[in-house]
């Protein structure tokens, strides 16, 4: 493909969502050690660094290679900041148990990922049908759609996209690929639009399917499931965990995890004495926080954001 180098194309801005609430939830100490598990374009990272003194530190993680380039630019030679290009489900490889004072997850995709047609996330911009956050690993959506069974495609679109026309869309994909591989976001968007009856005003008929396919090829829910227990173990007593979700399935997973970790192991409920390891590991620090109308007005992405937070207990 012609045009600007890939890293430049992905260099748009990302407005951080629930920034003040997330920083408050992390209760940042100037000399604390923090992890931003989803660096993106560093909006939250900048907020954290701005509250740290000389002795504080920040480890930023993102699986996207463009985020790595952005971090190198943002952090420059700041000795307090480090970046790792990795999946956040690998967090225990970089952070020792009990060693950090706060970890932030701001889930989902960044605006530059969506805006760069070459990443293949957007049905509004034609590009290769990819959608991998880390294009060096795993299968692109085009590769997966070329080999998956019709039932499997329908299940993914129904589950992650909550799309009621999932079976119809899967059938259309399987029929189309028999003639030629589905290679671009434009082809897939047009195919879905022609398979789905009617059209709700304002919502592109491919919205839910694209979201579902993105969540599937990046194993987004699996990543969260694997990362949260590691994050809890990485926190020092009194350390804070803050998670911003954008999808109801993500938020349900986060809510259930935090609730379970803030109770003693139910296997010991009602018994005298709780054995070591079965005590609650977290204390919820408040209710879920949503963006106010002002933030949603400035940044429509904030509309579906939910922040949940908890504090590590000494267990
Ligand atoms: C919503 S954006 C974060 C935006 C960031 N807080 C900011 O202010 O710029 C989510 C980021 O998390 C990254 N990401 C998503 N899942 C990930 C995972 N499992 N491991 C590492 N990074 C991930 C994405 O690549 C994306 O850059």
């Amino acid at each position: 493909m012609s045009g600007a180098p890939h890293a430049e194309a992905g260099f748009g801005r990302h407005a951080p969502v629930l920034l003040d609430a997330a920083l408050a939830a992390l209760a940042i100490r100037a000399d604390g050690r923090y992890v931003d598990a989803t660096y993106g374009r560093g909006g939250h990272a900048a907020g954290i660094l701005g509250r740290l003194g000389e002795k504080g530190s920040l480890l930023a993680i993102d699986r996207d290679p463009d985020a790595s380039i952005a971090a190198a630019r943002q952090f420059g030679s700041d000795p307090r900041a480090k970046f790792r290009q990795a999946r956040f489900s690998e967090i225990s490889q970089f952070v020792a148990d009990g060693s950090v004072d706060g970890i932030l997850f701001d889930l989902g995709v960044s605006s530059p990922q969506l805006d760069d047609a070459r990443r293949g996330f957007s049905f509004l911009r034609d590009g290769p049908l990819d959608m991998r956050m880390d294009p060096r690993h795993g299968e692109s959506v085009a590769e997966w759609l070329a080999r998956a069974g019709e039932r499997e495609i329908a299940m993914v679109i129904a589950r992650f996209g909550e799309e009621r026309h999932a079976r119809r869309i899967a059938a259309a994909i399987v029929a189309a690929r028999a003639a030629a591989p589905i290679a671009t976001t434009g082809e897939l968007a047009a195919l879905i639009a022609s398979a789905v009856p009617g059209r709700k005003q304002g919502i592109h008929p491919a919205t839910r399917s694209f979201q579902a396919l993105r969540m599937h090829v990046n194993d987004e829910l699996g990543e969260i499931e694997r990362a949260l227990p590691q994050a809890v173990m990485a926190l020092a007593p009194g350390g804070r965990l803050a998670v911003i979700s954008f999808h109801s399935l993500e938020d349900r997973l986060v809510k259930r995890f935090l609730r379970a970790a803030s109770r003693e192991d139910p296997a010991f409920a009602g018994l005298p004495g709780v054995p070591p390891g079965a005590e609650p590991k977290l204390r919820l620090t408040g209710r879920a926080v949503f963006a106010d109308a002002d933030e949603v007005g400035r940044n429509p992405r904030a509309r579906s954001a939910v922040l949940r937070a908890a504090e590590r207990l000494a267990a």
Side-chain angles (χ1 to χ4, degrees), residues 14-17 36-45 61-64 67 86-89 104 106-111 113 133 218 220 223-224 246 301:
H14 177 94
V17 168
D36 177 348
T38 50
Y39 170 82
R41 287 299 175 275
H44 290 97
I61 297 173
D62 202 296
R63 71 201 289 190
D64 190 312
R87 285 178 284 120
F88 54 55
S89 61
L104 172 68
D106 175 21
L107 300 170
V109 276
S110 68
S111 304
Q113 284 170 329
M133 294 182 193
N218 291 293
E220 291 182 36
E223 277 290 304
I224 301 168
F246 293 85
R301 266 194 89 245

Side-chain angles (χ1 to χ4, degrees), residues 13 20 26-27 54 61 76 110 125 133 158 190 228 231 239 263-264 267 286 296 298:
R13 280 177 48 76
D20 293 337
L26 291 170
E54 269 178 28
I61 297 173
S110 68
R125 296 174 178 78
M133 294 182 193
L228 290 178
R263 292 186 181 147
E264 70 186 40
V296 174
R298 277 182 282 118

